[in-house]
Amino acid sequence: MLHNDNLEQWDRENFFHASTHLAEFARGNIPQRVIKTASGVHIEDRDGNRMLDAFAGLYCVNVGYGRPEIAEAIADQAKELAYYHSYVGHGTEASITLAKMVMDRAPDHMSKVYFGQSGSDANETNIKLIWYYNNILGRPKKKKIISRWRGYHGSGLMTGSLTGLDLFHKKFDLPLAQVIHTEAPFYFQRKDLGQSESEFVAHCVAELEAMIHAEGADTIAAFIGEPVLGTGGIVPPPAGYWPAIQEVLDRHDILLVADEVVTGFGRLGTMFGSDHYGMRPDLITIAKGLTSAYAPLSGSIVSDKMWAVLEKGTDENGPIGHGWTYSAHPIGAAAGVANLELIDKLGLVENAGTVGTYLNTQMRAALTDHPHVGDVRGEGMLCAVEFVADKDSRSFYDAADKIGPQIAGKLLEQSNVIARAMPQGDILGFAPPFCLTKDEADQVVTATHQAVASVL
Ligand code: PLP
């Protein structure tokens, strides 16, 4: 059944693809790509084309593909206990073990982890916990959430609102009223302000302060941000950004949610991005790297400070009214345990740091001087190349030129390397599995250089 010759036809007739131009797909202008097998950093489609996946799926297959240790842990768990829920004190050996492993790795001031399925539902959980927290503290007005333009936090109703990208709002009646957006720390795109990097940090902080002043600190519950902006363009923050933001939030008693769906479990070369940037979050969102996407599982890590209030809340109101059927799913948890063990055993966090730095250095060396490359930036195993129409005036291409997608297309066509054309702007993103070798990094850089040369 799975090997049927009619797959392509069935695909067009039945399958509603995520984040896809539906009409162009129906017209046959978007290639169908049926991925069949994968190993290490390579995936293969059913026509036998082998591709180097320099975006690790959707920056999630952190340990690389085809790891038997994780596959076997999943199979063993499915045979022993495919499912039991986590309501009313129930757990499984896998979910309790994984909770212990996550908390052993989390910053010291964190208390417990709640498991969900996806990054989106983990952020939905976070916002509910924040509202619950302020209700228990008798602050019913303190509910608004500040997010950043270009932040990405999911595509649910609340999380799609937190996301600061037009595409995810347009025609969906989002963002919801409780969400407000502030300046992103995207220094390269705001060089028009004529500020030094530290002046730009001061500008972002001043914007935040002004927003808090205008709205009233007693109406603002939390600030959410990715340590490094991901889907919004792979943008490491300018030096000093997070400590300065943290100081403002602390002063106004506003909680910080570190959305570490991309950065959690090693992508920056440290276990968490919060460690890397000196953030002190009240909640940490985890997903992708928790299981390296071998099974869907996410989590909300809750601080000691919030936990004390949540416990008090249940004394006053009864059991917490929040749960998914698949919270702490044992198969996901078994995948998570095997994944975190493998990361330790193979030293993959260190590898993400060293090979990631190598990839960034080589990419910078190869492309910085190109007349249409405006910026090459990254941190750990995250790297981005941003294209400009004119370097001196730093003017951008028209969106209709589709420079990012064109270059990603060439990269695949010429060299079988997968990078991601980021959804807003002409930005090519790289987020390879942590097991990438220096030779493979060189291959990615050479291929990118050739693709850029053939388009621009
Ligand atoms: N948060 C961040 C930072 C993400 O990058 C993503 C997905 O890319 C999400 C949340 C949403 O995760 P999911 O797609 O698993 O719902």
Side-chain angles (χ1 to χ4, degrees), residues 37 58 72 196 304 337 363 388 435:
T37 182
L58 286 172
E72 281 154 22
S196 69
D304 295 327
V337 170
M363 196 70 88
V388 285
C435 56

Side-chain angles (χ1 to χ4, degrees), residues 55 58-59 117-123 151-156 159 163 224-232 259-263 285-288 296-298 420:
F55 211 80
L58 286 172
Y59 21 42
Q117 299 84 232
S118 69
S120 297
D121 72 58
N123 276 328
Y152 187 79
H153 303 291
S155 57
T159 53
T163 289
I224 185 167
E226 304 148 84
V228 172
L229 277 166
T231 304
D259 185 340
E260 300 238 21
V261 166
V262 168
T263 51
T285 323
I286 52 175
K288 304 180 189 272
L297 196 79
S298 65
R420 184 176 184 198

Side-chain angles (χ1 to χ4, degrees), residues 106-111 279-282 284 302-305:
D108 288 346
H109 69 285
M110 305 309 280
S111 177
M279 301 161 75
R280 200 180 151 77
D282 300 286
I284 299 177
V302 183
S303 67
D304 295 327
K305 173 174 129 184

Side-chain angles (χ1 to χ4, degrees), residues 186 188-189 233 363 367-368 370-377 384-391 394-398 401-408 411 419-422 424-430 448-449 451-456:
F186 200 156
F188 175 71
Q189 289 218 345
M363 196 70 88
L367 286 169
T368 303
H370 189 286
H372 294 291
V373 171
D375 197 24
V376 183
R377 56 177 176 259
V385 181
E386 182 156 3
F387 304 99
V388 285
D390 183 78
K391 213 163 180 164
R394 211 190 28 82
S395 59
F396 296 96
Y397 287 101
D398 201 279
D401 295 334
K402 294 193 177 357
I403 298 298
Q406 277 194 59
I407 294 174
L411 194 51
R420 184 176 184 198
M422 306 310 285
Q424 199 164 304
D426 292 305
I427 301 167
L428 196 63
F430 301 86
T448 306
H449 187 264
V452 173
S454 59
V455 175
L456 298 173

